[in-house]
Amino acid sequence: MTAEIIDGKAFAASIRGRVAEEVARLKAAGVTPGLAVVLVGEDPASAVYVRNKGKQTVEAGMHSEEHRMDADTSQDALMAKVAALNADPAIHGILVQLPLPGHLDSEAVLNAIDPAKDVDGFHISNVGLLGTGQKAMVPCTPLGCLMMLRDHLGSLSGLDAVVIGRSNIVGKPMAQLLLGESCTVTIAHSRTKEIEAVCRRADIVVAAVGRPRMVTGDWIKPGATVIDVGINRIDAPERGAGKTRLVGDCDFDSCAAVAGAITPVPGGVGPMTIACLLANTVTAACRANGLAEPEGLTA
Ligand code: GUN
């Protein structure tokens, strides 16, 4: 069997199109959704992400703010920035880019964001709402994975799902979302016994461990749907001295030979994350103004 390739780039473009339509509807009602991104320090990868977020926010017709702070910014200064954005009526979504420099308390910062503006879904209130099946802001990457799974499979009810990885950003919220879809969910991680056999039982595998090509085709049940969240940069001497390339947590070729469908890296989950950030900002703007929420852009 050769898997169908799930085109995250095209799907993300369609989500951004939906977002732009909703932004037009909101603007007609007098509301321009606004997203503020806070970047502390000079991490080049984070700077690239933040630039892309700003660009796509503007392309969708939204108000975009980028707040850059020095790497030696104090906790108090960052908390004051968050408080100012919480109080700003032009801002419906706040994202503090992670990782923060080591001297800063990330948890305290994330929990200082107004939960209604927490478009990352990392505030403890949103984590609790998601865990209890209530209306929450949902973390962008797992939301993107869920959208792709629904689009590809329709109903997920009763399916066996294995999430590999137990991070707060992806693994745990992904498992909650799949549970919400009535999947039978297993979270596998570095201590899981016979992880290959656990995976082989799954109709859905979501790999979010950050280990290049860890999941190989012999871990996959024939016909299963594989969502690869990993973005790992590895040396690629075949491309020339010093060259690198991106690979996922799944060994694409061997998994694609067995799976029914698989997301590629790059071009799979990655583009969906920013699309879902825009979707969450629109959702937050609707909720803040008592307007109807768009269909299909939330969990
Ligand atoms: N850094 C890498 N991914 C993310 C994300 O989804 N949200 C935030 N805030 N920072 C990140």
Side-chain angles (χ1 to χ4, degrees):
M1 183 184 300
T2 302
E4 181 185 330
I5 312 289
I6 299 175
D7 185 345
K9 221 169 144 180
F11 195 46
S14 77
I15 298 292
R16 289 197 303 273
R18 286 271 296 108
V19 165
E21 284 170 19
E22 292 299 328
V23 170
R25 179 177 67 92
L26 280 165
K27 281 180 160 170
V31 177
T32 300
L35 172 66
V37 175
V38 180
L39 175 62
V40 184
E42 306 290 337
D43 177 56
S46 290
V48 171
Y49 286 136
V50 167
R51 206 163 42 242
N52 283 336
K53 283 169 189 163
K55 186 165 163 274
Q56 293 188 28
T57 306
V58 170
E59 281 169 4
M62 295 194 234
H63 171 63
S64 168
E65 291 183 10
E66 195 178 307
H67 295 263
R68 287 181 174 249
M69 303 180 82
D70 292 337
D72 62 357
T73 293
S74 68
Q75 184 79 19
D76 284 352
L78 183 52
M79 295 295 261
K81 172 65 74 182
V82 169
L85 294 170
N86 282 342
D88 185 343
I91 295 300
H92 303 95
I94 302 169
L95 181 145
V96 177
Q97 182 69 26
L98 301 176
L100 288 170
H103 68 282
L104 294 170
D105 179 347
S106 303
E107 234 166 54
V109 172
L110 297 177
N111 286 326
I113 296 171
D114 178 348
K117 297 189 177 187
D118 171 34
V119 283
D120 256 333
F122 295 163
H123 190 288
I124 194 67
S125 298
N126 282 314
V127 175
L129 290 168
L130 178 61
T132 50
Q134 299 179 71
K135 197 153 93 173
M137 294 304 302
V138 176
C140 303
T141 299
L143 179 58
C145 295
L146 179 68
M147 285 182 182
M148 289 197 285
L149 284 167
R150 279 182 181 154
D151 184 64
H152 186 71
L153 293 170
S155 170
L156 310 183
S157 180
L159 297 180
D160 284 316
V162 170
V163 179
I164 313 174
R166 51 179 158 175
S167 72
N168 291 334
I169 292 180
V170 183
K172 286 181 200 161
M174 187 75 244
Q176 298 285 7
L177 287 171
L178 291 167
L179 201 52
E181 301 290 308
S182 300
C183 291
T184 303
V185 183
T186 302
I187 303 180
H189 49 77
S190 54
R191 303 289 174 88
T192 299
K193 284 181 278 183
E194 295 176 21
I195 192 167
E196 300 90 333
V198 169
C199 275
R200 237 178 345 256
R201 287 201 294 270
D203 304 302
I204 295 168
V205 175
V206 180
V209 267
R211 290 188 54 188
R213 298 189 288 210
M214 183 178 93
V215 177
T216 48
D218 55 326
W219 295 33
I220 303 298
K221 176 160 94 174
T225 303
V226 177
I227 305 291
D228 190 349
V229 181
I231 301 177
N232 309 289
R233 192 164 283 287
I234 62 163
D235 291 335
E238 73 280 5
R239 293 184 169 186
K243 296 283 186 197
T244 61
R245 68 189 182 102
L246 294 179
V247 297
D249 291 345
C250 300
D251 177 57
F252 184 82
D253 290 344
S254 65
C255 288
V258 183
I262 185 167
T263 60
V265 177
V269 174
M272 288 298 291
T273 297
I274 298 184
C276 288
L277 175 66
L278 305 182
N280 275 350
T281 305
V282 164
T283 299
C286 290
R287 289 179 188 170
N289 289 281
L291 297 167
E293 285 178 37
E295 295 269 315
L297 293 182
T298 50

